[in-house]
């Protein structure tokens, strides 16, 4: 997708190190980013799903039912006991962001490219910016990788990400197969669309900020893909999901994946399963790091309500080819679920 790009912006990690209180540039200051209510400690928590129980014949029915409820009621859940080793990818990410700026800039995004070190969804020089730096890489299919932007330092980066990408994709496919069955579909309904599927990773660095209550780490949005798996790299919280007009802080369990449904899932199920608006806030004392892996069908797939689930004439959403779907998403500013609204049919 070489026609997709994001406008270049200043490096926030470098900016944060030179910023004192009340010196955050105006382009990052939001008009009350925390104005919406935030759930207090001890309030609601997103569901927790045990992957090992999903695969165990003795417990699969019970855990699959819990997964179905999590998808219908939340669109977000934590996945534990998934078997993916996470220590190396965490260490590698931390090592990369500890590099001097000139070293990281060797992998900076080039004009007309999304891959690389920089930022995403910057479509105007006047829009408010997120307080974050991003390393964005296409990981699957393998021939879509632009290795020019895969860091060579630390030297273990490429092998570590390659291994992590493969294992996380397997988890995603398993969840898609079980979710298909929960919807009364054949287990391979989604995974058939995901042969030669598209996977990308967004590695996030949210620097500490002296005016943390006035900036946003990641603007409110829903993901465009089918399924996103997020791994918290360090112990600083920041992810929040919206439920009943309230922001619910996500408190990641150690080594758990935070999984959320994307817009494509909502479109395929014609709204039965919904993508959920979420955002990232920042901390005034510590940086936060995470890696999100996005999973979508192959580029030849059509994105639209599944005929197995929806009678003709009852469709809420348009059907478009995957490449145009992603081109529209990446060329837009993130504003809640406004992208999904543009996918609605005119009479819905």
């Amino acid at each position: 997708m070489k026609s997709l790009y994001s406008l270049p912006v200043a490096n926030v990690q470098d900016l944060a190190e030179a910023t004192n209180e009340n010196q955050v540039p105006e382009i990052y200051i939001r008009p009350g980013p925390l104005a919406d209510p935030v759930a207090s400690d001890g309030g609601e928590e997103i569901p927790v799903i045990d992957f090992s129980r999903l695969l165990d014949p003795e417990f699969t029915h019970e855990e699959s039912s819990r997964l179905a409820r999590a998808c219908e009621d939340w669109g977000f859940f934590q996945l534990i006991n998934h078997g993916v080793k996470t220590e190396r990818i965490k260490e590698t990410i931390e090592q990369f962001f500890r590099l001097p700026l000139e070293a990281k800039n060797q992998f900076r995004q080039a004009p007309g490219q999304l891959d690389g070190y920089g930022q995403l969804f910057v479509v105007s020089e006047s829009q408010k910016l997120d307080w974050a730096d991003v390393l964005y890489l296409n990981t699957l299919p393998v021939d879509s990788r632009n290795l020019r932007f895969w860091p060579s330092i630390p030297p273990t980066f490429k092998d570590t990400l390659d291994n992590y990408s493969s294992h996380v994709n397997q988890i995603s496919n398993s969840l898609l197969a079980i979710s298909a069955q929960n919807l009364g579909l054949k287990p391979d309904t989604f995974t058939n669309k995901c042969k030669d599927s598209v996977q990308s990773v967004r590695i996030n660095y949210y620097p500490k900020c002296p005016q943390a209550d006035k900036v946003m780490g990641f603007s409110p949005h829903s993901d465009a893909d089918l399924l996103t798996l997020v791994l918290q790299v360090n112990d600083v919280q920041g992810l929040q999901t919206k439920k009943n007009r309230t922001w619910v802080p996500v408190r990641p369990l150690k080594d758990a994946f935070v999984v959320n449904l994307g817009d494509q899932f909502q479109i395929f199920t014609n709204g039965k399963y919904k993508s959920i608006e979420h955002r990232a806030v920042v901390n005034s004392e510590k940086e936060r790091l995470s890696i999100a892996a996005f999973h979508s069908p192959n580029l030849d797939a059509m994105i639209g309500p599944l005929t197995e689930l929806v009678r003709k004439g009852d469709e809420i959403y348009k059907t478009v080819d995957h490449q145009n779907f992603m081109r529209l998403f990446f060329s837009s500013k993130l504003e809640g679920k406004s992208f999904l609204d543009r996918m609605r049919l005119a009479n819905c």
Side-chain angles (χ1 to χ4, degrees):
M1 298 187 189
K2 293 186 177 180
S3 61
L4 303 181
Y5 68 96
S6 179
L7 294 176
V9 296
N11 179 267
V12 182
Q13 184 178 3
D14 192 53
L15 179 65
E17 291 173 358
T19 298
N20 295 319
E21 191 170 357
N22 300 322
Q23 290 185 338
V24 175
E26 186 64 28
I27 200 165
Y28 296 95
I29 301 295
R30 305 293 180 111
L34 300 183
D36 293 322
V38 178
S40 59
D41 289 343
E44 286 191 290
E45 299 271 1
I46 66 171
V48 177
I49 302 299
D50 189 328
F51 189 69
S52 65
R53 287 171 60 94
L54 285 174
L55 303 183
D56 187 330
E58 184 177 351
F59 302 108
T60 185
H61 178 74
E62 178 185 354
E63 202 68 14
S64 294
S65 297
R66 296 184 69 246
L67 175 63
R69 290 195 299 273
C71 289
E72 286 196 48
D73 297 344
W74 281 87
F76 253 84
F77 57 91
Q78 297 203 56
L79 189 71
I80 61 173
N81 295 328
H82 47 69
V84 179
K85 304 293 185 183
T86 61
E87 292 82 5
R88 286 186 63 193
I89 191 69
K90 289 181 179 180
E91 292 171 0
T92 300
I93 290 170
E94 290 182 322
Q95 288 169 10
F96 175 78
F97 283 104
R98 283 199 296 265
L99 293 172
L101 178 59
E102 56 268 26
K104 295 194 288 285
N105 274 343
Q106 296 179 54
F107 314 103
R108 193 158 188 83
Q109 290 164 324
Q113 291 281 348
L114 291 176
D115 285 72
Y117 179 57
Q119 206 17 299
L120 299 175
F121 305 107
V122 183
V123 298
S124 165
E125 293 182 356
S126 61
Q127 77 181 67
K128 292 294 184 181
L129 299 178
D130 290 338
W131 190 259
D133 295 321
V134 170
L135 178 61
Y136 180 82
L137 300 168
N138 283 295
T139 45
L140 292 175
V142 172
D143 61 9
S144 73
R145 296 177 178 179
N146 191 336
L147 296 179
R148 150 76 178 83
F149 299 99
W150 285 50
S152 54
I153 42 177
T156 57
F157 188 100
K158 292 179 181 178
D159 286 343
T160 300
L161 182 57
D162 177 67
N163 183 270
Y164 180 80
S165 161
S166 175
H167 283 93
V168 172
N169 191 56
Q170 292 173 25
I171 298 292
S172 175
N173 283 337
S174 294
L175 292 173
L176 289 173
I178 296 167
S179 295
Q181 290 178 294
N182 285 340
L183 289 162
L185 302 169
K186 295 179 180 178
D188 60 3
T189 300
F190 295 120
T191 53
N192 277 346
K193 292 179 178 291
C194 292
K195 291 177 179 176
D196 297 319
S197 62
V198 174
Q199 182 198 61
S200 60
V201 298
R202 175 186 165 120
I203 305 173
N204 305 294
Y205 183 93
Y206 303 102
K208 64 181 182 180
C209 181
Q211 294 177 278
D213 60 337
K214 292 183 170 61
V215 305
M216 187 64 64
F218 201 169
S219 299
H221 66 286
S222 56
D223 293 340
D225 63 342
L226 257 177
L227 211 57
T228 305
L229 279 71
V230 179
L231 177 67
Q232 182 86 4
V233 173
N234 62 354
D235 60 357
V236 179
Q237 296 178 13
L239 180 61
Q240 298 178 345
T241 181
K242 204 167 196 179
K243 184 174 173 62
N244 299 326
R245 299 182 179 180
T246 298
W247 291 108
V248 178
V250 176
R251 300 174 178 86
L253 301 171
K254 181 176 173 53
D255 294 328
F257 288 126
V258 177
V259 183
N260 66 274
L261 309 185
D263 293 341
Q264 291 174 1
F265 225 130
Q266 181 162 338
I267 292 170
F268 280 134
T269 63
N270 208 42
K272 181 175 177 62
Y273 284 2
K274 293 179 172 58
S275 62
I276 302 300
E277 189 176 350
H278 52 286
R279 68 182 187 182
V281 298
V282 301
N283 192 284
S284 61
E285 298 180 357
K286 295 181 179 180
E287 73 273 16
R288 175 175 173 260
L289 297 94
S290 66
I291 175 171
F294 305 96
H295 300 87
S296 299
N298 62 68
L299 287 177
D300 295 325
M302 299 300 291
I303 310 299
L306 294 173
T307 56
E308 301 96 316
L309 288 177
V310 185
R311 292 182 303 177
K312 188 171 180 59
D314 290 343
E315 301 92 342
I316 299 174
Y317 299 102
K318 306 171 188 175
T319 295
V320 299
D321 67 89
H322 191 191
Q323 293 198 52
N324 280 324
F325 179 91
M326 297 308 294
R327 186 172 291 111
L328 177 61
F329 178 72
F330 277 107
S331 63
S332 305
K333 176 184 173 183
L334 290 179
E335 291 183 297
K337 295 189 69 172
S338 60
F339 170 72
L340 193 59
D341 292 337
R342 293 199 295 277
M343 290 296 299
R344 284 182 173 270
L345 291 167
N347 60 340
C348 295

